[in-house]
Amino acid sequence: MKRLWIAGFLALASAAGAEITYRVEVLPDTSTLHVVMHLPRTEHGCHLQIPNWGPGGYVIRDGSKAIHNLSATDEKGQPLALTPNVEGVVKKYQDGAEWKQTVNPVTTWSVVPAKETNVEYDVTVAPVDGAMSWSGPSTYLYEVDRRKETCKLGVVVPQGWQAYAGLDEIPVGNIKSFWPGRIFVGPAPDRFERTVNFAYTAKDYDTFADNPFTVGGADGLIVDTYFTLGKPHYIVMRGKAKSKVDRAKLIKACKFVSDVENDFFGNRPPYNKYVWHFAVNDAADGAGGLEHLSSTQITLAQGVGPRAVSVLAHEFFHLWNVKRIRSLPLGPFDYTRLPETGAIWWLEGVTDYYAFTLLHRYGWTDDESYFKTAASNFQIVQRNPAHAEVSPNEASMRVGEPNNGHGNSNGYRISYYNLGWLAGMCLDIDLRVKTGNKHTLDDIEHALWDLCKNGKPGFAEDEIRKQYVRFGGDGATFDRIVMQPNMPVEEILAKAGLRAVSAQESYVDLGFGWGGPPGGTGLPVNNVHGPAEGKLQTGDGIVAVNGTALTGDTGRALAASMAAATANLKGGTAFKVTVKRGDQTVDVEITPVTANRSIYTVERQPAATAEQKKLADAWLSQRALRAN
């Protein structure tokens, strides 16, 4: 059996040439992915790492903890010495007025020289109701100096299972030439023979790792397909609540989003196929997602309500904004440290602005709904005192500092999602005012697309500002909106005959908020102030309230549990919150206070001039899809 396994790899090496080839065997009975990695031309040895973060999620972790049973052999099947070396990447962060630093470990496994090197290891992925799903950064090792080489992947699944990913497929009839023969894999000594069921190719490691997989049998998955501009789009649902989804409603929403956003970018899809990876829960509305080059992972409420549809629109828009339209630090990636760029407010917040704007522009939502969304973003920003101290640029650039230097995918002290939404709106309206509706934010987005499409390098840090000035804006206004705190939202709204109206409500101020990026699995503390100042820290993971543990295995579920646990707290009455801080569990007593806060709405000014009304009408105008 060992000789047959070696022969299979030798044949593979001959077929693959200089390509790096992976083979993933799905073993649901043991909650395991068994990965085999083949590297040709390793006469000088090789050095292996696994990402410590994944694009779209700006959080550092120790990726090496995901790897189990790691071993290496040469082209003859003889064991090769494999030595781990742990180095630290220093990250400085600000804790109040004090600067501190943390050291994030990076493990490099060095393998002694051989003509060819075969690496095997296991990754734990728990099956759920007859399906499994995994992400590339937490699954695939890479050779430190060879991430630009072509990667190929063979996937072995249990009988009757299907596999879905955004990667380009190698046709079934060509699988044998890709992965010739039958080879033995599996944790020794229980090796057994399986044939590759699905095969894929990617131009480099970044592309390869960016594509998540969903696999499952007929009972584990529900799959629907539709087409936009001739490209197949797969809706792949897993989870206990998948059968509760109104499939026609979900198909309608997904197709509307893909039709509309392709239309916005000129009906030239930058992908060959698209996969919606949905993990469905029992909720009526809501979702959280993570974008990829030709797919997205979304935790979806089975009710597919308005908030869920907005997440569909957000994640699909990322096909352009962030995955291809990106600042220079966002690819090629350094997986050992978080990138530093001041543009995440555009790549995330303006993506969110366009998600809502295009749903409105093409008729999915009405003016009232759109105004509510604008007001919600304004309200969230106004309620965070950091809005007077942190600009969208700074919230982006320093995203790696929260959570004791591990990052938080939401922004430094204040969310770049909400700040970016408002900045997009303000830049859009201001350009319309200055140019008499001749130029809009669309011109900047399309110009950035022209700069970045077809695999071109990303844009420089000052490029958005340059494009804003190019299309009729002025640098001083851009800086007030993007580079300085206290964004002049109300001033910009007034230019279009709009206003933000506030009313007061009484509430119990706990002294902190909670919640992380869409799709997160923990419940981090944010917006620490007043009653909690000096007691909690941004990034603390909330575990329990008054000794009762929060419930849920997603950030969304934990947030709902936290809301229920704190719903009846009263001002002046202390309560205990338990948090995870680094490796420690800490109990903190907080005495909330009763306070007043503003509730905002956005509306048209009754006294708006004819010119202002015309501008607002143009901003809020709706249109139909172009013929394609």
Side-chain angles (χ1 to χ4, degrees), residues 406-425:
H406 293 90
N408 71 355
S409 285
N410 198 43
Y412 171 72
R413 296 182 62 196
I414 188 167
S415 172
Y416 45 58
Y417 288 90
N418 307 117
L419 283 178
W421 203 107
L422 295 175
M425 179 185 71

Side-chain angles (χ1 to χ4, degrees), residues 476-495:
T477 301
F478 182 92
D479 291 344
R480 286 189 64 201
I481 294 170
V482 175
M483 307 302 293
Q484 299 167 10
N486 264 328
M487 191 185 305
V489 176
E490 292 173 286
E491 176 185 326
I492 299 293
L493 285 173
K495 293 180 179 182

Side-chain angles (χ1 to χ4, degrees), residues 571-585:
T573 302
F575 74 102
K576 182 178 73 174
V577 59
T578 304
V579 299
K580 188 79 171 178
R581 183 177 300 162
D583 295 328
Q584 296 182 320
T585 300

